[in-house]
Amino acid sequence: MHTFFAPDLAGSTYTLPEDESKHAVRVLRLGIGDAVELLDGRGGRYAAAVADANPKRCQLHITYHATVAPRPYFTHVAVAPTKNLDRMEWFVEKAVEVGVERISFLRCARSERRELKLERMEKIAISALKQSGQTWLPQLDELTDYATFVAAVLPETTFIAHLAEGERTALAQVAGAGSGCCVLIGPEGDFTPQEIALAREKGIRPVTLGASRLRTETAALAVVFTAQIMRDK
């Protein structure tokens, strides 16, 4: 069954945007009576049937609606985007497929990417939502300076994954505790000593993701996987 994203769905009918209408009618060859699925990104899953197969405004009739409650455990990854944007797009896609509630993008001292177009990331997240059947679209935050971000988080549920020497707790030991966690992942050159010190001053605890030295996007996805495993135990 074909799935469409309908963030503004309300009532018993829904009209697809023109680009989606054209895709549904001209590419997918959907006709009157054909069944489709709609996701609103807010927990809503809808069954619908094509009522008007117009390639400019394909109208759907809602036949069933169910709401999936948000997960009780909140996973938030704050990551410095890589210079190669394809790698960050890959992370967003896979993180949404696995299940993540929020992704923030950090501008760090060693960041090679200083700007980011969030619109492209949002499109990838929506595509991953439809592909995976997830019902909650994660919140995606604009690129934010590291110091500004750190000042606004709750230190008791925030952790920093870095490669500097010192005692660190395995993420698996803390990821499943409480109602959720936020984990900071640095750029390809890691966080600077000053950034690590700032996190420590704010009460943010260091964690390790294992013995391997991971790429930025791999480390960020490892956080999502670890949180998913621990909260499902």
Side-chain angles (χ1 to χ4, degrees):
M1 185 182 298
H2 299 292
T3 302
F4 296 92
F5 183 59
D8 53 350
L9 194 156
S12 60
T13 61
Y14 182 76
T15 301
L16 293 175
E18 186 172 346
D19 59 337
E20 290 274 54
S21 293
K22 183 177 180 180
H23 181 72
V25 177
R26 295 278 172 79
V27 179
L28 301 179
R29 303 289 184 182
L30 295 179
I32 294 175
D34 285 343
V36 298
E37 179 184 53
L38 299 174
L39 300 173
D40 64 10
R42 305 184 305 276
R45 186 189 299 277
Y46 303 78
V50 176
D52 183 5
N54 188 312
K56 290 189 175 181
R57 49 185 184 280
C58 181
Q59 189 175 70
L60 308 174
H61 174 67
I62 309 302
T63 58
Y64 175 78
H65 170 219
T67 300
V68 179
R71 289 178 285 251
Y73 188 86
F74 193 92
T75 303
H76 180 186
V77 178
V79 58
T82 52
K83 182 178 180 180
N84 183 342
L85 200 55
D86 288 348
R87 288 161 52 189
M88 197 54 30
E89 292 175 353
W90 174 86
F91 158 67
V92 170
E93 178 184 71
K94 302 310 173 188
V96 174
E97 289 178 12
V98 174
V100 66
E101 282 63 51
R102 184 176 178 183
I103 300 173
S104 299
F105 298 103
L106 303 177
R107 185 186 293 107
C108 300
R110 292 173 176 165
S111 292
E112 293 189 79
R113 177 168 290 278
R114 313 300 295 182
E115 301 295 335
L116 182 71
K117 292 183 178 179
L118 200 61
E119 182 180 356
R120 169 67 178 165
M121 295 297 182
E122 290 171 341
K123 289 181 179 179
I124 290 171
I126 290 170
S127 177
L129 181 86
K130 294 191 295 183
Q131 187 279 325
S132 63
Q134 296 279 0
T135 55
W136 286 89
L137 187 68
Q139 175 181 333
L140 300 184
D141 298 329
E142 295 281 0
L143 195 63
T144 305
D145 287 337
Y146 173 83
T148 301
F149 182 86
V150 167
V153 299
L154 296 174
E156 58 268 26
T157 57
T158 305
F159 305 89
I160 182 170
H162 61 71
L163 300 175
E165 294 294 331
E167 185 176 348
R168 289 168 289 168
T169 304
L171 179 60
Q173 294 182 19
V174 297
S179 60
C181 69
C182 172
V183 182
L184 314 183
I185 302 294
E188 289 144 306
D190 202 8
F191 293 109
T192 64
Q194 294 78 14
E195 289 169 334
I196 295 172
L198 178 60
R200 184 170 58 248
E201 290 170 8
K202 296 292 184 180
I204 297 172
R205 291 166 286 169
V207 291
T208 176
L209 304 178
S212 299
R213 186 186 298 269
L214 304 177
R215 288 180 178 271
T216 295
E217 72 279 9
T218 310
L221 188 59
V223 169
V224 178
F225 269 114
T226 301
Q228 175 80 357
I229 291 169
M230 298 310 296
R231 69 184 178 186
D232 286 346
K233 288 182 65 176

